[in-house]
Amino acid sequence: QVKLVESGGGLVQLGGSLRLACTAYGNIVRVNTMNWYRQAQGEERELVARITSEGTRHYADSVKGRFTISKDGYDNTWYLQMNSLKSADAGVYRCNVDLVRIDHTIPMSGDFWGQGIRVTVSA
């Protein structure tokens, strides 16, 4: 099985910065894409940022120029650096990964989610 552990959320002032981290634990052979999603209260979940194993990055238009996704391939950890935070950035952020793991000696593809971490932006 694979477990994702998130950290770094909390309360930040308008215009401030936070860095989220997510580490995937388990019998992981290969990580394909690492993602950050968020969901504000009353809103649908949206993809905030994605990074592929090759390092290709994708951002939601609303965060371009302010957020940066990065990864540490050695220990299957990825980060979301969030700068110039706005009220609209508040919500629950969840990391997500598409990977290949070993299950009883058999390689299996899978999609896994973190438990979610709250980001609150205060005026």
Side-chain angles (χ1 to χ4, degrees):
Q1 192 55 278
V2 172
K3 181 179 180 180
L4 303 189
V5 178
E6 298 155 331
S7 62
L11 175 66
V12 63
Q13 286 190 331
L14 200 63
S17 298
L18 278 178
R19 189 175 83 151
L20 306 182
C22 182
T23 301
Y25 296 95
N27 293 328
I28 299 167
V29 175
R30 183 180 73 248
V31 173
N32 296 320
T33 60
M34 300 169 165
N35 308 298
W36 285 101
Y37 285 81
R38 72 182 177 194
Q39 186 167 19
Q41 193 159 1
E43 302 289 333
E44 293 187 356
R45 184 175 61 203
E46 65 168 335
L47 175 65
V48 175
R50 167 175 291 155
I51 186 167
T52 68
S53 58
E54 294 82 13
T56 301
R57 294 170 171 84
H58 166 82
Y59 297 97
D61 288 342
S62 59
V63 306
K64 283 180 181 175
R66 300 187 297 119
F67 289 13
T68 302
I69 189 170
S70 60
K71 65 183 179 72
D72 180 343
Y74 181 74
D75 63 357
N76 293 324
T77 295
W78 59 110
Y79 307 92
L80 185 67
Q81 177 66 43
M82 305 185 293
N83 298 329
S84 302
L85 282 161
K86 305 176 180 179
S87 299
D89 295 319
V92 176
Y93 285 70
R94 295 182 72 186
C95 58
N96 165 262
V97 65
D98 173 65
L99 52 75
V100 177
R101 62 188 175 95
I102 298 295
D103 187 357
H104 294 91
T105 76
I106 300 173
M108 297 185 67
S109 296
D111 186 79
F112 297 89
W113 291 86
Q115 76 280 7
I117 194 165
R118 184 169 296 278
V119 171
T120 303
V121 182
S122 65

